Amino acid sequence: MSLTRHALSLLTAASVLIGSVVVGTLPAAADPGPPPSAMTGLGDSITRGFNACGWYVDCPSRSFSTGDNVSVNAHYLRIRVANPAINGRNHNDSQTGADSADLLGQANSAVSRGGQYVTVLIGANDACTGSESSMTTVGTFRANIDAGLNRLRTGLPGARVFVISVPDIQRLWSVGRGSGSARTAWSLFGICQSMLANPTSNAQADVDRRNRVRQRVVDYNTQLAQACAAYGANCTFDNNAVFNYPFALNQLSGWDYFHPNATGQQVLANVTYAAGFGW
């Protein structure tokens, strides 16, 4: 069964994994300023809440960033406690299936809305591709991130930008490889085959491939940290809080064993908000 980039890349995003700390230049803690009165979430199917409420559908109400479902307690709801003026101004311009090349277009949308707070979580689809060879190069990834962040910096000079690390997708393989249901879903839908092909194989070639894919995610996160540092005082990086979080299989959708379910989105909200501006 074959899926188009934006149909199957939908199945790329989210998951989660254990990991080592990414080495790179980290930005100084940004001044949070007052709680924002409007926000926008940028990224891929994680921020869209894909598969968090229904069968292969976007569920933005359960987004860890902009969602309004009380069970998730997203950034939006937490900020609303501190600043009720944000009520109803929680925009979600993320796209299921997006990769770093799509960030500039999303940033343009954010600028048109005039938001004061922007979350950015993107990159899983750059690593989760049909094969290792089709992953986005580190140089191209950085150029794409810089283009999107530069648009935010020039178009929303006063906005606070929170850049979130790409999850450790090797953790997904680690927690799911023992599940027959997970392996079936990964194979049937061709999910993240760069990492998840031959999930039960211990052959050296497969071990080496998984390690190289994970290293690509580590390299992406290094670039995210450096790009945020270059952005200036209004940008904060999560210092790999998401990359390092050891997500469990029961925090993933039981339909694709890849995207966060509602519980996983709640965990993402907790982990990311604690690593962010702290309004």
Side-chain angles (χ1 to χ4, degrees):
M1 176 175 186
S2 116
L3 298 175
T4 66
R5 171 178 175 266
H6 278 294
L8 172 55
S9 279
L10 336 145
L11 299 170
T12 68
S15 326
V16 297
L17 306 106
I18 198 169
S20 47
V21 175
V22 174
V23 176
T25 302
L26 301 179
D31 175 7
S37 298
M39 70 172 293
T40 301
L42 307 184
D44 52 35
S45 52
I46 305 176
T47 304
R48 286 301 293 174
F50 183 79
N51 262 3
C53 69
W55 170 260
Y56 288 91
V57 294
D58 289 338
C59 304
S61 67
R62 286 170 171 77
S63 167
F64 76 93
S65 172
T66 61
D68 59 7
N69 184 280
V70 295
S71 68
V72 172
N73 197 20
H75 291 212
Y76 164 66
L77 291 182
R78 298 174 196 228
I79 294 169
R80 196 173 71 178
V81 172
N83 183 10
I86 201 174
N87 187 49
R89 303 183 70 190
N90 52 324
H91 307 294
N92 192 319
D93 287 318
S94 63
Q95 301 165 303
T96 292
D99 62 22
S100 62
D102 299 300
L103 184 59
L104 177 58
Q106 294 181 21
N108 283 327
S109 296
V111 168
S112 72
R113 298 184 187 281
Q116 298 173 353
Y117 174 48
V118 181
T119 66
V120 179
L121 173 51
I122 202 161
N125 289 329
D126 291 271
C128 271
T129 58
S131 66
E132 180 187 356
S133 64
S134 58
M135 294 188 298
T136 304
T137 66
V138 175
T140 297
F141 180 81
R142 176 59 184 271
N144 290 339
I145 296 302
D146 282 343
L149 292 185
N150 287 341
R151 181 67 183 110
L152 294 176
R153 182 170 52 193
T154 58
L156 298 173
R160 300 304 190 264
V161 176
F162 183 33
V163 176
I164 300 167
S165 53
V166 180
D168 182 351
I169 58 177
Q170 193 175 53
R171 172 74 180 177
L172 173 66
W173 165 79
S174 178
V175 301
R177 59 178 171 163
S179 165
S181 296
R183 294 195 305 270
T184 297
W186 297 344
S187 175
L188 180 63
F189 297 110
I191 298 172
C192 195
Q193 292 298 283
S194 55
M195 173 64 74
L196 301 177
N198 305 323
T200 61
S201 172
N202 292 317
Q204 193 61 48
D206 289 314
V207 171
D208 291 345
R209 168 179 51 81
R210 294 181 199 118
N211 288 337
R212 288 192 300 268
V213 174
R214 183 179 187 272
Q215 183 60 48
R216 184 63 57 91
V217 173
V218 169
D219 294 341
Y220 289 164
N221 285 333
T222 297
Q223 296 306 313
L224 290 171
Q226 293 175 352
C228 187
Y231 187 103
N234 286 348
C235 186
T236 282
F237 179 61
D238 78 343
N239 290 349
N240 299 301
V242 168
F243 178 83
N244 287 323
Y245 184 79
F247 284 81
L249 192 64
N250 64 6
Q251 294 166 344
L252 302 178
S253 165
W255 295 310
D256 64 13
Y257 294 90
F258 193 74
H259 292 89
N261 56 21
T263 300
Q265 288 285 346
Q266 180 188 51
V267 167
L268 280 170
N270 291 340
V271 171
T272 55
Y273 199 76
F277 288 96
W279 291 296

